[in-house]
Each structure stands twice: as structure tokens, then as C-alpha cells.
Amino acid sequence: MKKSLSVLLVLSFMLAIAACSGTNTNKGTNSPAVTNKASNEPAKVEEGSTEGFADGKYTTPITLTTVWGLNQNGSIFKEGESIEDNVHTRLIKERLGIDIKYNWVVTNTNDAYKTKLRLMLSSGEEMPDVVTYRGDMETVNMLIDSGQFMPVGDLVDKYANDTYKAGLDLDPTIWLPISRGADKMALPILDYAYNADHVMWIREDWLTKLNLKAPTTLAEMETVMEAFVKNDPDGDSKADTIGLATGFKNGFANWMTDIGFVFGAYGTMPGQWNQAADGSLAHGSINPAAKDALTKLKEWLDKGYISQDSALLDESTGSELFTKGEAGIIFGPNWLPAWPFPDLLNNVPGAKYKAYPIPAGPDGKIGSAGGNPPANGYVFVNKKAKNPEAILHYYNWFFDNMANPQPGSEFEKGFAEGYDYATLPDGSITADIAKYPDLFPGLKDQTAPPLYYTLTFEGARIPTLYAETHVKLAGGAEPVTPYEKQEFNTRLKENTDAMKVVMDQNSIRMKNYYMGPLTETMQSKNELLNKLLNETFSKIVYGQQPVDSFDTMVENWKKSGGEQITKEVNDWYNSVK
């Protein structure tokens, strides 16, 4: 779900689920759920048209070219299958008449996919028909500015089905990051609302062993972390445990191993544009409250509550501190039980974990990043594509068939038997490959959900559906619809309970208010300014610079382009609010 997502990235939003607040409270969640009715069929063109698409399929098969980065959750294949040839590609060719051709595929470690895309852009190499990207906005802007991709507004108006359009309409700001004037330059990939929002995950077995209660404040959290460090919670008679799994190599507010909640406890969120008391936008990393958060993090590092290697670890490697049984707390999305927590259970048999609300700061403030529009990535369509509408026919098909399948439909249990689910003798479904390995032939240890092979990362997601479903299930209701049954039977209870924690605490979300493209000064100064912020933050946490160096850093940030960027950001904000 990330980016993401993840198992999501799945997560990314299964989510993750990876969308991506108090002032944006539950947009969409309070709206009626979008359902797949017969009227939500793909736009069709009659037989004999120049497009040649009729009755849900190209009358003459077409080829759609793309490129791909294999992410961890989307790289599990049955024996004999690959991203180029699998149950997904075969089904799309059969049902839609679309033959997906991959010009190249890389294993997406160390940002290999982003690196290769950027090399193509810098060399002026011709892009494929569609490019899907989930990640940093710099690369998104490079794709747009390459001039190789078309505006998609007319494509959406003509070909998108009602379900996709309704999801886009839940939050019109979803278009802002990829708009150039009146042109919409990419198709947003819808994710589940609040799927990227965080909870506090704690080793429940450690709490029980040490007779501790889950913390509700930073002060109580420090008491728990102190015990996790000094009282041998893993029972190996070694001083080898820490309190909190962190990894801030990529910044100080991340999709997993997050420490943004520490800043939120003092009233700011780093790495994004927050709304100030006067209504203007201000960068969260230069807010004086960030200085208090850095002081707290330095204290935690000095006491051994967080790893001495935190600045060298990213989100994934930082999470290994938790999954290897070394750390007792980690902050991240609701879907972590799907990934990477299975590694914890493999490494530490009998380990238990549970989700809890984000703790409050010394003045009662609670803050966590989230509440942004339900998008987690974009699809770019080449100006030279022979069938630019094909990607929307493809996306529509997933909305119509799999986003919220109807009772008795072909996909009511999942994508494909023996891949993402299996049917038990009593008719119920399972994804427990460890318990039923014979029901998943050609696979070892992990299921292979084909939705993670799709050009939109997780097939299609109706933003409101996931949160509503899991809150309902967490309340003890019986699953009724196929989607509810899938979620109930394939997700752990800890996952479902975590989503309810997110929704019960949704007022704490601190939205990033700048949703526009890179400003003129950002394009030339962003890398320098981000380096200044992150290096100064790390040096303060590690005691290599005094805490008061924060004030000098803020002045340098302003003089080096930050002040001009702040003006540009607010000019944009005033033009769209």
C-alpha cells in the first residue's frame, strides 16, 4: 500500500494506501459513498468510429507503451510470470484489447525509477505513451515541463466514467499541483482518503510485559521509551532495544518512521506550508516551534530513545528497527500490518502490536501531517500517443469492476483466485498463504495481488470507501458488500482498528496548504534550501551545532531565496483561495 504507499502503498489510500486536518475535515468522508452503478460505465464510441472502441473493447487491439519501476509490494509474481506477462496483462488484453508494452523495467531501489526517468528527460529521449509517477514534485514538474505530455482535461470530460469524475470532484484542489493555467497536465491517481495519515504503533507485548500503559502525551511517551531502553522488554538480557523507530534521511516528516508528530506537538509541521494565524502561508521548518521540537529530538537521541543511525536511515530502512524487534514504537499509516509488519512476526514470533492516537505536546497541542486531497501519483499521457484515451478506458474498467464490485460479479472475491485470495470449503475467502499454502500454487510466503501490477498502482480506489468500511467493521458490524467482505477477510483486525483511530482523531491533521507547481524561485533554489534545512536539523539533533544555530539558519534560508519563495507561495494562494 505509497507512494507511495506502499503496501501500499498499498497503500498508499490498501490503501498506503499512500493519500496522501482540522481545516479540511473529512472532505469526502461525510459525502455519500460513490457506488458502481450501471450508469457508471465507460464512455463508449460506436463501432466504425476512427477510435475503434466499442462495447468496452478496442475492435482492433492496440498497444500502449509505458515504463515501470518494480516496487516491493508489486514485485511478487507467480512462478513463470513477470510484470510484462501476468494475469493482469493477459486480462487487459482479453477484456479491453489493450496490449501493454514495457519499454524498460527497473527494480525501484534507491530511486532507480526516478533516476532513469530524469535521465530520459535530460537527454530529450522520447517518452512512451503513458508514464505513471508517484513521488517528489520536482520530477512531476520535470515531466510536465518536458513538453512531451498533453493536457488531459478534455480526455477526462469525454472518456472518464462517473465514478472517477466523482472522486476528482471531492476536492477540486486535487488538480492544483499539475495545472498550468487552465490546462490539467496529468491524471490524478485517486487514493483512499486519510490512507496516508498516521497513528502510533506500539509493541503491545512489550507494554504488557513491563506493566505499562500506552502514552497519550510526549511526557508519557518518554516514560515508555525509557522503560523500553532500560528494562529489557525483549527478554534477551541485553541492552539492545530502543524506544522509537526513526529514519529521517529524507526529511523530518515522512510517510513512515515519522517524527513530524514531535513538531506537531509544538504547533508546526516541517517540510510543508502551514497556515499562519493571520491566514497567510508559512514554511513549517522555519517556525520557532521547530526549534523546540529539535531540542526534544536531541534529548531523545542523547538518552538512546532513538537510533544513532537515524540520519542515515530512510523510511524503509528505519522501519526495520521495528520489524527486527529492536524498537517498540513506530509512527505510520493504518496499513502497516499488511507491510512491513509481517516481517516483525517472522523475526519475532509471538510479537503483538496495536495502533494508538498521536500523543499531545506539553501545551496540549497534537499535530500530524495529513488531510490532503485523495491523490497518490499521476499518469502522464504523451502528445504523440496514437490512442491517448486508452489509459482512461483502462482506469474506467478498474473502477467499474474492482473498486467496489457488486454481489455476484466476477471480481466480488478479488482479482484472481490463487493470487490475492483463495476460497475456503465454507465459501469464505482468505489471503493467509502461510496457513493455506496449497491454495496459492506457484507462490511462496506471500500472496501476489495483481492490483499492484497495474498502471495506476492499485487498480482503482474510491476515496471515501476504505475509511467508511473500516470504521464500520471496527464498530462490530458484519460485512455485507463484496468490498466489505474482501476487506474483512484479507486485512488484519489491527489494520481495521487503526483506521478507526485515524478517523476518531482526524481533527489533528495538519494540511499542506501549498498545492501549486514549483514556483520560479523554487525551481532554482529548492535543492539548496532543503539541504540547508535538513543538514541544520540533523546537526542540531546530533549536537554538532547548538540549538540556537536554528535562528541563524532561518535568516540564511530567507536570504537565500526563502523569503522570495514565501511571497510567490502566498501570491499563488491568494489567487486560488
Side-chain angles (χ1 to χ4, degrees):
M1 302 181 194
K2 165 249 145 236
K3 268 214 98 219
S4 256
L5 94 173
S6 311
V7 173
L8 306 215
L9 275 184
V10 160
L11 320 96
S12 189
F13 234 148
M14 282 177 143
L15 328 185
I17 213 213
C20 302
S21 140
T23 53
N24 191 35
T25 34
N26 284 345
K27 273 198 175 182
T29 300
N30 295 328
S31 305
V34 181
T35 58
N36 297 30
K37 298 180 180 179
S39 61
N40 295 341
E41 295 179 354
K44 295 181 180 179
V45 176
E46 295 300 320
E47 178 98 36
S49 73
T50 55
E51 183 189 348
F53 187 88
D55 298 324
K57 184 176 182 178
Y58 282 95
T59 55
T60 300
I62 67 155
T63 297
L64 189 67
T65 60
T66 191
V67 293
W68 200 247
L70 284 173
N71 293 309
Q72 193 163 1
N73 62 308
S75 58
I76 308 300
F77 300 99
K78 277 209 172 195
E79 187 176 349
E81 295 192 353
S82 66
I83 192 66
E84 292 97 340
D85 180 17
N86 56 66
V87 65
H88 156 249
T89 56
R90 294 191 294 269
L91 189 65
I92 293 303
K93 187 172 183 178
E94 173 194 334
R95 302 298 173 85
L96 296 175
I98 298 175
D99 187 8
I100 302 172
K101 178 184 176 183
Y102 294 85
N103 291 352
W104 53 258
V105 176
V106 296
T107 299
N108 194 27
T109 54
N110 297 319
D111 287 330
Y113 179 66
K114 177 176 78 174
T115 299
K116 189 149 187 174
L117 277 182
R118 287 191 172 200
L119 286 172
M120 289 183 71
L121 291 168
S122 63
S123 64
E125 190 173 343
E126 189 167 327
M127 289 289 177
D129 294 331
V130 295
V131 171
T132 303
Y133 188 75
R134 172 181 286 175
D136 64 292
M137 289 306 299
E138 285 82 0
T139 302
V140 169
N141 279 274
M142 290 175 67
L143 288 163
I144 294 173
D145 296 339
S146 72
Q148 293 201 46
F149 301 100
M150 65 172 62
V152 299
D154 289 343
L155 287 176
V156 170
D157 291 343
K158 185 174 181 181
Y159 298 104
N161 68 9
D162 292 343
T163 310
Y164 183 39
K165 287 179 178 177
L168 293 171
D169 289 343
L170 288 174
D171 188 342
T173 65
I174 199 171
W175 290 107
L176 294 179
I178 47 170
S179 292
R180 296 295 184 272
D183 291 333
K184 300 168 181 176
M185 297 305 300
L187 299 169
I189 297 173
L190 294 181
D191 206 344
Y192 294 131
Y194 310 104
N195 203 41
D197 294 2
H198 294 162
V199 294
M200 174 174 60
W201 292 98
I202 304 183
R203 283 286 299 274
E204 192 72 5
D205 51 328
W206 285 14
L207 288 179
T208 300
K209 179 178 180 180
L210 302 181
N211 196 27
L212 297 167
K213 293 183 179 179
T216 61
T217 66
L218 288 191
E220 292 176 358
M221 184 177 167
E222 289 174 339
T223 299
V224 170
M225 290 193 295
E226 177 80 9
F228 284 176
V229 170
K230 294 187 175 179
N231 294 351
D232 192 28
D234 60 355
D236 65 357
S237 301
K238 298 178 182 177
D240 56 359
T241 50
I242 59 176
L244 176 67
T246 55
F248 43 84
K249 176 182 179 181
N250 294 331
F252 285 73
N254 300 312
W255 62 270
M256 185 169 63
T257 63
D258 178 59
I259 52 174
F261 75 94
V262 182
F263 293 81
Y266 292 94
T268 190
M269 190 56 56
Q272 66 178 44
W273 293 87
N274 304 316
Q275 193 172 53
D278 63 0
S280 65
L281 301 190
H283 200 283
S285 294
I286 66 166
N287 188 310
K291 187 175 179 180
D292 297 325
L294 292 170
T295 301
K296 179 59 65 178
L297 288 170
K298 180 183 184 303
E299 180 183 329
W300 288 3
L301 186 76
D302 291 343
K303 292 183 176 181
Y305 296 168
I306 62 178
S307 171
Q308 292 289 329
D309 294 329
S310 293
L312 304 175
L313 304 175
D314 61 17
E315 294 89 336
S316 294
T317 53
S319 72
E320 292 176 5
L321 297 170
F322 189 84
T323 59
K324 289 180 179 179
E326 298 173 22
I329 306 174
I330 186 173
F331 284 71
N334 71 92
W335 43 260
L336 296 191
W339 180 87
F341 286 179
D343 290 341
L344 170 65
L345 302 183
N346 288 332
N347 293 326
V348 188
K352 295 181 180 179
Y353 53 81
K354 184 177 178 180
Y356 289 97
I358 305 295
D363 297 325
K365 295 186 179 76
I366 309 174
S368 183
N372 292 304
N376 197 358
Y378 302 100
V379 179
F380 297 84
V381 183
N382 198 313
K383 285 181 176 179
K384 297 181 180 180
K386 293 181 180 179
N387 297 93
E389 77 293 334
I391 189 63
L392 275 167
H393 290 315
Y394 173 94
Y395 206 7
N396 288 340
W397 188 86
F398 282 97
F399 276 115
D400 290 337
N401 291 282
M402 295 189 183
N404 189 16
Q406 299 305 298
S409 65
E410 179 181 359
F411 302 102
E412 68 173 333
K413 294 181 179 179
F415 194 114
E417 180 104 22
Y419 286 81
D420 55 336
Y421 77 93
T423 305
L424 297 175
D426 64 0
S428 63
I429 61 175
T430 182
D432 192 344
I433 190 172
K435 189 174 182 180
Y436 303 103
D438 293 343
L439 298 182
F440 296 89
L443 291 171
K444 295 181 179 179
D445 302 325
Q446 296 184 53
T447 58
L451 286 180
Y452 297 151
Y453 308 158
T454 61
L455 300 181
T456 46
F457 293 116
E458 295 95 16
R461 291 176 168 179
I462 298 171
T464 58
L465 189 59
Y466 179 81
E468 291 173 345
T469 296
H470 283 274
V471 168
K472 173 183 175 180
L473 295 176
E478 289 295 319
V480 176
T481 69
Y483 179 84
E484 290 171 356
K485 291 177 181 178
Q486 286 181 28
E487 292 298 300
F488 181 80
N489 287 297
T490 61
R491 292 198 183 266
L492 296 175
K493 184 178 186 300
E494 290 85 352
N495 189 158
T496 295
D497 291 344
M499 194 66 223
K500 187 174 188 305
V501 172
V502 169
M503 299 311 295
D504 286 346
Q505 205 183 22
N506 60 35
S507 63
I508 71 166
R509 308 300 157 185
M510 298 182 70
K511 178 181 177 180
N512 183 5
Y513 279 84
Y514 184 70
M515 300 298 296
L518 294 180
T519 70
E520 181 179 355
T521 307
M522 281 181 183
Q523 294 179 40
S524 59
K525 299 291 187 179
N526 243 13
E527 186 174 350
L528 170 68
L529 295 177
N530 287 337
K531 183 178 180 181
L532 172 65
L533 290 170
N534 289 333
E535 286 188 353
T536 303
F537 277 25
S538 289
K539 288 178 179 178
I540 289 174
V541 172
Y542 279 87
Q544 297 169 355
Q545 288 184 3
V547 174
D548 286 342
S549 67
F550 174 87
D551 302 318
T552 304
M553 179 272 294
V554 170
E555 291 304 313
N556 289 335
W557 183 88
K558 291 178 179 178
K559 293 175 183 177
S560 301
E563 193 166 23
Q564 179 61 25
I565 289 174
T566 302
K567 180 182 182 304
E568 293 168 354
V569 164
N570 278 283
D571 287 345
W572 170 88
Y573 184 56
N574 290 329
S575 73
V576 300
K577 68 180 181 180

